[in-house]
Structure formats: structure tokens, C-alpha cells
């Protein structure tokens, strides 16, 4: 080792020692590992920043698909730098990313490479993350044997693992049991997993198990209230995380359950939220599920032409994505639409095609429902032999479904869960008691620390400097959070005003205030959830069309403040024409809105010049002409 390397090693060791003393002296509430992970401002792709990315994704602070470049980078860098343990963790997360991206061939090769490494067996939790993804991928195969074998292995080994590891196993088993139509086992695994997730304060896993319980009750079609209740809990829980995919799936589950209960209007709101995410990340599987549910909603509302278009699109989308259930469900929906339109020959043709593919359905209840509809259609067409065949098969698959979901077992599991909820309340009280004891111990340790402070006075100087540095970073972090609108993810009022003041000090600029026309009417007629989708649509339109260097933010309610670099009147008008067109396109995709509903906005513009160099002056002038635009009939741009 050369001298420079030795110096670097000494400096590094000294830095780590100083950090250790810092946390020992201050007795902070968090560990050193959390401190390094909480600093979001390191841009250098070193070991710590790579570790931070991996931690954030594992703890659901980052969404897999929206941050795929970061995860791919962490995977590659840890491999190139030969950070063995870190790389195995990154590789496990990368396997989940491949699954969510629906890159199944690449995933199979990836799993085959890493699951044969001896070092992986020493990391039980990481090994189980790989196996969780593997079991989910195996459920897609036509041959059920590999998935069944792996599930049996996990079942027999679960008692040997820690709480965190058991949660991973139960997540994997709940997914497999649902795909295998074993609803009794799904509920059992989900209830056990939920108890452990509550005990371990694992928010994301709680949401996952809530959704599995809700889906199980939804498939049972026996207790709609419980299905809705658990689906809402899943949504509320996932919204506390940054896992966009699972949040979207929770929206989809709740939307479908509301649809089953006859609440199609609210169902559409949640289904559109799910669809927006799946479109954003270009996830075909999610798109197929969400679009089918929306098509079904349109069918139930007697919008047959719209339903027909969506169903045809979804048949091809589901087929391409390899989703057998959704492919066949879309074909059945198409057949039902033809029946409503009076095209019985077309309906029979599609129904016969499904009949040939019926074994591709994953659940007995799906097959039973299909044969029930086939029986009705064949009776209408006077195909008596086919009708009797259909009713026999319906009875056969209905019996199989009841075998998987016996009522007595379901009730027993429900009683068990209610007991677990009470036990969880007791655990929370015990947890508070443990916290009080821990705080008492920390206070005692702090007294001892201060008695020793005289001997480390020189180090305290470094401690104070580091504390100031950390506080500055935290202030910067909280400032960014305080400047962002939670709904649209753009600047809020504080953020855009600060940006405008900064730009004004550097250059001449133009201020514009935008007001969405008749927004209150949208909220009153369609509800605030749809109003939120309209606000999001406008923000997306502005982000997509503004030039580089232009900024905007939510000024309040449906009002927006734009800070434009150009003071050219033509450029300004062209900018808002583009925003208006894009905004209308995004609103057209909101199915809850009336078709071809005109969505417009009014704009008041104050062009920057030497005579109005204060932000307050520019805003007042823009606000004044905005009022004029609204008085003149709205849907126009007036420039001061």
C-alpha cells in the first residue's frame, strides 16, 4: 500500500471515529446507519450513496418503476466495485424490478445466476427476497409443479426464520395461494402476515396483506362490507408509502370491489387513479387489469359503444402481456356487449372461442361464472345440448370453488383476526412502555457522558461543527418538502414565489396567473377526487409543454403562477396555446368526466420590463388582467 492510500485510510478511520463519538455524546434517537441513509444530497456514486438508494427502495421511500435508473445504477456499480454483500441486496431488488417490468425471460436468467451462489445462503433475508420473486414468476408457468414445490419448501421452513423473514415468506405464499385459487390459505397467510407486519411496524407489508384479505373476500362474494373495509385500509396504508405500483393495485382492488357493490361512480375514480400510474410507467399488465375494469364499468352503465372499444383493445393488450384471466375476461365482456346490442351470432362466436381456452382460467369461480353465462346464451339460441353441457360444468366448478372457500373456515379465520387486532392493541401499549424505559436509560447514559466531557473537549468542537452541518442539510430537505404541492408534485405557493424572486433578481421575466375555468362546477358535479385528477392533468400538461427555464406552481386552489423567461407576447401566447391543447388531451383520458367536455382556463399576463422590476407589481398586474379575462367570458389570454 502506498503512502497516499495509507493517508486516505487514516483519514477515513479518523472520520468514522469522530462520527462514533458524535452520536455517543449526543445520544441521538437514530443509529449511525440511519444517519448516513437520511442524507439525500450525495451525488457521487460511492458506496454510501449506493447503500442509501438500496435502503430507500427496500423501505418503500422510492418507487421501483419510477426510479428504475437509480436501482439499475446501484446494481451495476455494486457489481463493478465488487461490493459483495451490497451487490446481493441490489440484485434481489433488481429481480423484483424485472418482475414489475414484465421482463420475464431476463428475470429467469437473473434468478438462475444468483440463486446458485453459496454466499447468498448466508444472507437469509436477501435469499428470501430472491425466492419471493421466483415464486411469483413461477405462478405464470403453465406447469404448476415448480411453484407448488417452492411453496411447500417455504411452508416447511417458515418456523426457522425471524419475524422480518417470515413476513417475506408470507407475502410470497399469499401471492401464490391467490394465483392457485386456494383462498382459505390466502386468508390464513395474509392474517398471519398482517399480525407480524403490525408487530414489526412494517407499513408496506401491512398494506399488502390488507389488500390480499380484501381480494379474498371479494372473490368469495359473501361479505362485501368486509371486502370494502379491508380494501380501503389497503389504500390508506399504501398511501403512506412511496410504492406507486402497490398503491395503484390497491386503487384497482378498491375500484373493483366498489363496482361489485354497485358504486360505479366512485369505482371509476379509483380505477382511473390506478390507470394513471400504469400508463405513467408503461406497465402492460396493470393497464390490462385497469382498462378491463373501466370497460366493465362502462358496460354496466349501458355505454356499450365505449365498452366495446375498450374491450377489443384489452383483448389484444392482455394477450400480448400473457395474462390468461384478463384475456378471457375481456372476451367474455365482448360477448356480453354483443348480446346487449342484439348481435347474438357474434356473441356466440366469441363465447365458443373462450370455451376452447377455458382451462387458461386460474380460478374455479371464473370458470363457473363463464359456464353460467354460456348456459344463458345457448338457451337464447336454442342450443339445448350445449346449454346442458354448460350447466353441468358450472356445477362442477362451483363445487370446486366451495371446496376451496368453505364457510366455516372463513368464519374461524375472521374470529382469529379480530382476536389478533385486540392483541395488537396490547402490543402497542407494551411498545409505549418499552419506549419509556429506553428513554430513561438514555437519560442515565447522557449524565455519564457529560461527566466524561471534560476529557474530550477538543473533540466537541468537531461535534458542534458536524451538528450544524447536519442541521443545515435537514433544513434544506424540509425546505424542499415545504415548497412542493403534495397533490401535483409541482411547486406550491411558497415554492413558486421563492423561485420567482430568485429569477427576478437575475433577469427580466414575465409573470402569468392561470385560473381553471368553472373548476368549482367540476368539484360539485363529479366530486373532489375527479377535481384532483383535473388538477393533476393541468400540472402534467404544464410540465410537458413549458420551455427549459420556465417554471410554474400551484398558487392556490385552481390558480397557478407561471414564471416565464420570455417577454415576447407571441411566445407567451403560443406557450399557453400548447398548454391548453395538452391539458384538454389529458382531461379527455379521465373517464369519470363527460365525454368531449371542454376544459379551459383563463390567463392574465404581466410582461416584464424596466418599469416593473418588483414581483409584487408583476403579480398585481397579472391578477388585474386575469380578472378582466374572466369578466370577458373566460378561456382567453390577456396580456398587460
Amino acid at each position: 500500500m502506498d503512502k497516499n492510500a495509507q493517508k486516505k485510510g487514516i483519514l477515513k478511520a479518523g472520520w468514522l471515529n469522530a462520527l462514533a463519538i458524535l452520536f455517543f455524546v449526543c445520544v441521538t434517537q437514530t443509529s449511525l446507519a440511519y444517519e448516513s441513509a437520511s442524507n439525500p444530497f450525495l451525488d457521487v456514486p460511492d458506496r454510501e450513496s449506493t447503500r442509501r438508494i438500496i435502503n430507500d427502495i427496500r423501505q418503500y421511500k422510492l418507487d421501483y418503476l419510477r426510479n428504475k435508473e437509480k436501482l439499475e445504477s446501484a446494481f451495476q456499480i455494486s457489481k463493478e466495485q465488487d461490493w459483495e454483500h451490497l451487490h446481493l441486496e441490489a440484485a434481489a431488488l433488481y429481480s423484483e424490478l424485472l418482475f414489475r417490468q414484465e421482463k420475464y425471460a431476463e428475470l429467469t436468467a437473473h434468478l438462475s445466476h444468483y440463486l446458485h451462489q453459496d454466499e447468498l445462503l448466508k444472507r437469509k433475508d436477501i435469499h428470501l427476497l430472491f425466492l419471493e420473486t421466483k415464486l411469483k414468476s413461477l405462478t405464470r408457468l403453465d406447469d404448476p409443479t415448480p411453484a407448488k414445490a417452492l411453496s411447500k419448501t417455504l411452508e416447511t421452513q417458515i418456523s426457522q426464520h425471524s419475524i422480518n423473514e417470515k413476513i417475506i415468506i408470507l407475502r410470497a405464499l399469499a401471492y401464490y395461494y391467490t394465483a392457485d385459487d386456494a383462498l382459505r390459505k390466502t386468508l390464513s397467510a395474509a392474517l398471519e402476515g398482517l399480525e407480524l407486519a403490525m408487530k414489526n411496524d412494517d407499513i408496506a407489508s401491512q398494506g399488502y396483506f390488507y389488500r390480499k384479505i380484501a381480494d379474498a373476500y371479494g372473490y368469495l362474494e359473501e361479505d362485501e362490507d368486509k371486502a370494502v373495509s379491508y380494501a380501503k385500509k389497503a389504500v390508506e396504508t399504501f398511501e403512506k408509502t412511496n410504492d406507486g405500483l402497490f398503491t395503484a393495485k390497491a386503487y384497482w382492488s378498491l375500484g373493483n370491489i366498489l363496482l361489485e357493490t354497485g358504486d360505479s361512480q366512485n369505482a371509476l375514480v379509483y380505477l382511473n387513479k390506478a390507470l394513471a400510474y400504469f400508463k405513467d410507467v408503461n406497465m402492460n399488465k396493470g393497464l390490462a387489469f385497469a382498462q378491463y375494469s373501466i370497460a366493465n364499468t362502462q358496460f354496466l352503465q349501458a355505454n356499450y359503444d365505449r365498452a366495446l372499444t375498450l374491450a377489443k383493445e384489452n383483448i389484444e393488450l392482455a394477450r400480448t402481456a400473457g395474462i390468461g384471466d384478463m384475456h378471457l375476461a375481456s372476451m367474455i365482456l365482448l360477448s356480453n356487449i354483443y348480446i346487449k346490442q342484439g348481435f347474438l351470432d357474434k356473441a356466440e362466436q366469441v363465447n365458443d372461442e373462450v370455451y376452447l381456452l377455458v382451462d387458461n382460467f386460474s380460478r374455479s369461480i371464473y370458470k363457473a361464472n363463464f359456464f353460467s353465462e354460456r348456459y344463458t346464451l345457448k338457451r337464447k339460441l336454442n342450443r339445448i345440448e350445449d346449454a346442458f353441457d354448460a350447466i353441468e360444468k358450472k356445477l362442477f366448478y362451483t363445487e370446486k370453488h366451495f371446496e376451496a372457500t368453505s364457510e366455516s373456515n372463513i368464519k374461524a379465520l375472521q374470529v382469529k383476526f379480530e382476536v389478533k387486532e385486540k392483541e395488537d392493541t396490547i402490543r402497542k401499549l407494551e411498545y409505549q412502555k418499552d419506549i419509556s424505559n429506553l428513554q430513561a436509560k438514555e437519560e442515565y447514559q447522557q449524565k455519564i457522558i457529560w461527566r466524561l466531557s471534560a476529557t474530550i473537549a477538543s473533540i466537541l468542537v468537531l461535534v458542534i461543527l458536524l451538528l450544524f452541518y447536519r442541521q443545515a442539510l435537514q433544513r434544506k430537505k424540509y425546505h424542499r418538502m415545504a415548497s412542493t404541492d403534495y397533490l401535483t408534485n409541482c411547486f406550491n405557493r411558497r415554492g413558486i414565489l421563492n423561485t420567482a424572486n430568485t429569477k427576478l433578481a437575475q433577469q427580466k421575466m414575465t409573470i402569468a396567473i392561470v385560473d381553471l375555468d368553472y373548476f368549482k362546477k367540476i368539484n360539485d358535479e363529479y366530486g373532489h377526487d375527479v377535481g384532483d385528477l383535473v388538477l393533476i392533468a393541468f400540472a402534467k400538461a404544464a410540465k410537458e409543454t413549458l420551455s427549459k427555464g420556465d417554471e410554474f406552481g400551484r398558487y392556490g386552489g385552481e390558480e397557478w403562477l407561471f414564471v416565464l423567461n420570455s417577454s415576447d407576447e407571441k411566445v407567451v401566447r403560443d406557450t399557453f396555446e400548447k398548454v391548453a391543447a395538452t391539458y384538454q388531451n389529458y382531461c379527455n383520458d379521465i373517464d369519470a368526466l363527460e365525454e368531449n367536455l371542454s376544459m379551459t382556463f383563463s390567463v392574465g399576463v404581466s410582461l416584464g420590463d424596466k418599469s416593473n422590476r418588483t414581483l409584487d407589481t408583476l403579480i398585481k398586474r397579472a391578477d388585474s388582467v386575469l380578472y378582466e379575462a374572466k369578466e370577458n367570458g373566460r378561456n382567453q389570454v390577456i396580456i398587460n
Side-chain angles (χ1 to χ4, degrees):
M1 183 182 295
D2 59 29
K3 291 183 179 181
N4 287 334
Q6 289 177 342
K7 287 180 180 179
K8 289 181 180 178
I10 293 170
L11 287 172
K12 184 177 180 182
W15 178 254
L16 292 174
N17 288 334
L19 282 176
I21 294 169
L22 165 64
F23 296 115
F24 181 65
V25 171
C26 298
V27 195
T28 57
Q29 298 293 324
T30 54
S31 66
L32 178 59
Y34 177 83
E35 283 296 323
S36 11
S38 67
N39 178 0
F41 301 103
L42 293 177
D43 294 323
V44 181
D46 58 10
R47 190 185 186 100
E48 282 307 306
S49 60
T50 303
R51 159 59 63 191
R52 184 170 61 253
I53 291 169
I54 292 172
N55 283 346
D56 284 349
I57 290 177
R58 272 196 87 175
Q59 295 167 18
Y60 300 94
K61 295 178 182 177
L62 293 176
D63 178 73
Y64 277 84
L65 295 174
R66 285 175 172 159
N67 294 274
K68 59 183 179 181
E69 292 83 4
K70 291 182 179 180
L71 180 51
E72 289 167 353
S73 175
F75 173 67
Q76 292 298 334
I77 290 171
S78 61
K79 182 179 181 180
E80 292 166 1
Q81 298 297 322
D82 199 24
W83 297 330
E84 187 173 34
H85 292 297
L86 200 60
H87 179 62
L88 284 177
E89 193 168 353
L93 301 181
Y94 187 64
S95 67
E96 174 66 16
L97 174 63
L98 292 174
F99 183 78
R100 296 189 184 198
Q101 290 179 309
E102 302 168 358
K103 296 181 179 179
Y104 301 118
E106 189 175 339
L107 172 61
T108 300
H110 180 82
L111 291 171
S112 177
H113 174 74
Y114 284 95
L115 283 172
H116 287 88
Q117 294 189 14
D118 293 337
E119 187 63 29
L120 186 60
L121 298 177
K122 301 175 184 177
R123 300 286 307 277
K124 284 187 177 181
D125 60 330
I126 305 304
H127 185 219
L128 288 171
L129 288 176
F130 274 107
L131 293 180
E132 180 184 16
T133 306
K134 182 176 182 179
L135 183 57
K136 291 193 293 186
S137 67
L138 290 177
T139 59
R140 299 185 64 258
L141 302 180
D142 294 332
D143 181 5
T145 307
K148 184 176 182 180
L150 180 54
S151 71
K152 289 293 183 184
T153 300
L154 292 174
E155 287 171 351
T156 57
Q157 295 179 355
I158 192 168
S159 61
Q160 306 168 14
H161 291 277
S162 66
I163 289 179
N164 182 54
E165 292 160 2
K166 287 179 180 177
I167 290 173
I168 298 173
I169 294 174
L170 289 167
R171 282 201 315 252
L173 291 175
Y175 185 98
Y176 166 71
Y177 294 147
T178 303
D180 196 43
D181 200 21
L183 295 182
R184 287 180 296 179
K185 289 187 175 182
T186 298
L187 273 172
S188 180
L191 291 169
E192 184 179 352
L194 181 57
E195 178 186 354
L196 295 176
M198 287 178 170
K199 184 176 181 180
N200 216 36
D201 198 26
D202 185 343
I203 300 298
S205 293
Q206 288 177 40
Y208 181 85
F209 292 123
Y210 275 134
R211 188 172 69 85
K212 283 298 175 185
I213 295 169
D215 287 346
Y217 278 114
Y219 295 139
L220 291 170
E221 300 177 348
E222 291 180 358
D223 199 329
E224 293 178 343
D225 290 340
K226 287 191 180 297
V228 171
S229 174
Y230 284 117
K232 287 182 176 179
K233 286 182 180 180
V235 167
E236 292 168 2
T237 305
F238 273 124
E239 286 181 338
K240 298 175 184 177
T241 75
N242 287 318
D243 193 319
L245 175 60
F246 279 2
T247 305
K249 285 186 174 182
Y251 288 148
W252 179 82
S253 291
L254 178 55
N256 274 285
I257 293 170
L258 290 173
L259 194 59
E260 291 295 325
T261 63
D263 189 357
S264 59
Q265 192 64 31
N266 282 320
L268 266 180
V269 171
Y270 287 106
L271 292 172
N272 275 303
K273 285 185 176 182
L275 186 67
Y277 174 84
F278 296 134
K279 282 185 176 179
D280 184 40
V281 297
N282 195 29
M283 186 177 185
N284 288 334
K285 184 175 181 180
L287 281 171
F289 276 91
Q291 187 164 277
Y292 166 78
S293 297
I294 293 172
N296 194 29
T297 306
Q298 298 290 352
F299 170 71
L300 295 173
Q301 293 179 340
N303 299 324
Y304 299 129
D305 290 339
R306 177 63 175 158
L308 184 70
T309 300
L310 290 174
K312 287 182 176 179
E313 289 177 2
N314 218 52
I315 289 171
E316 181 59 26
L317 180 60
R319 187 193 64 77
T320 303
I323 315 167
D325 285 341
M326 196 50 56
H327 178 215
L328 296 181
S330 300
M331 292 179 70
I332 293 171
L333 177 59
L334 179 62
S335 175
N336 290 336
I337 295 169
Y338 282 142
I339 292 172
K340 289 292 185 180
Q341 292 179 325
F343 302 134
L344 295 184
D345 290 341
K346 288 185 177 181
E348 183 181 33
Q349 181 182 349
V350 176
N351 189 279
D352 288 344
E353 290 177 18
V354 176
Y355 179 78
L356 297 175
L357 300 170
V358 73
D359 286 339
N360 291 345
F361 270 129
S362 63
R363 293 189 176 89
S364 300
I365 189 62
Y366 295 163
K367 298 174 184 178
N369 290 339
F370 163 69
F371 282 112
S372 177
E373 295 184 6
R374 182 173 174 83
Y375 169 76
T376 303
L377 175 60
K378 292 297 183 179
R379 283 295 302 272
K380 284 183 178 181
L381 293 166
N382 202 29
R383 310 277 200 267
I384 303 303
E385 187 175 340
D386 288 343
F388 276 114
D389 175 73
I391 202 66
E392 287 178 1
K393 286 184 169 62
K394 177 197 172 181
L395 293 172
F396 173 75
Y397 286 114
T398 299
E399 183 179 354
K400 287 194 67 175
H401 174 65
F402 283 141
E403 288 174 1
T405 58
S406 66
E407 182 179 358
S408 61
N409 191 279
I410 299 302
K411 288 183 177 179
L413 287 172
Q414 182 56 28
V415 171
K416 177 182 176 183
F417 180 64
E418 291 172 353
V419 171
K420 291 182 183 211
E421 285 188 315
K422 294 176 183 178
E423 291 173 347
D424 184 64
T425 301
I426 296 173
R427 282 197 297 272
K428 288 180 179 178
L429 294 174
E430 292 175 342
Y431 179 73
Q432 291 298 324
K433 182 179 179 181
D434 291 340
I435 291 295
S436 298
N437 292 336
L438 180 60
Q439 289 174 339
K441 289 180 182 179
E442 288 175 344
E443 290 173 359
Y444 175 74
Q445 290 173 346
Q446 190 173 20
K447 291 178 182 179
I448 296 176
I449 296 301
W450 284 113
R451 290 172 186 171
L452 298 174
S453 61
T455 61
I456 55 172
S458 59
I459 300 176
L460 284 178
V461 175
L462 174 62
V463 169
I464 294 170
L465 291 174
L466 289 173
L467 280 173
F468 279 126
Y469 174 69
R470 178 175 176 269
Q471 288 172 352
L473 292 181
Q474 291 295 332
R475 281 196 298 270
K476 187 175 180 181
K477 173 184 177 182
Y478 294 137
H479 174 74
R480 186 179 66 223
M481 292 171 61
S483 299
T484 302
D485 178 60
Y486 76 96
L487 177 65
T488 59
N489 200 30
C490 65
F491 282 126
N492 60 14
R493 183 187 185 95
R494 175 186 294 182
I496 191 60
L497 287 176
N498 288 341
T499 300
N501 274 312
T502 301
K503 284 182 170 289
L504 185 62
Q506 299 170 350
Q507 64 191 67
K508 182 169 63 175
M509 68 180 186
T510 292
I511 289 292
I513 300 179
V514 174
D515 183 89
L516 304 187
D517 294 335
Y518 304 110
F519 183 75
K520 184 177 183 302
K521 185 177 180 182
I522 295 294
N523 277 336
D524 292 343
E525 290 189 8
Y526 298 97
H528 288 277
D529 284 330
V530 176
D532 287 348
L533 293 175
V534 170
L535 292 172
I536 293 170
F538 180 82
K540 290 171 69 175
K543 288 177 185 177
E544 184 175 315
T545 55
L546 286 185
S547 300
K548 184 176 181 181
D550 292 341
E551 301 287 354
F552 80 102
R554 190 174 174 189
Y555 195 51
E558 69 272 23
E559 281 195 340
W560 308 78
L561 184 68
F562 282 70
V563 182
L564 308 177
N565 286 337
S566 176
S567 58
D568 185 316
E569 182 174 338
K570 184 178 184 305
V571 171
V572 172
R573 289 189 182 277
D574 288 345
T575 295
F576 284 110
E577 284 181 9
K578 293 177 183 177
V579 173
T582 308
Y583 171 52
Q584 181 67 59
N585 288 338
Y586 278 123
C587 287
N588 289 342
D589 290 338
I590 301 175
D591 287 314
L593 291 175
E594 180 182 343
E595 191 171 356
N596 297 323
L597 178 65
S598 177
M599 302 296 293
T600 63
F601 54 79
S602 304
V603 189
V605 181
S606 179
L607 296 178
D609 56 39
K610 294 181 179 179
S611 65
N612 54 5
R613 291 294 291 170
T614 68
L615 180 60
D616 186 56
T617 301
L618 291 169
I619 290 177
K620 285 181 179 178
R621 291 187 180 185
D623 194 50
S624 175
V625 290
L626 171 62
Y627 179 79
E628 183 180 341
K630 291 164 69 175
E631 286 295 306
N632 289 344
R634 296 180 170 85
N635 189 22
Q636 56 188 280
V637 178
I638 296 184
I639 298 178
N640 183 306

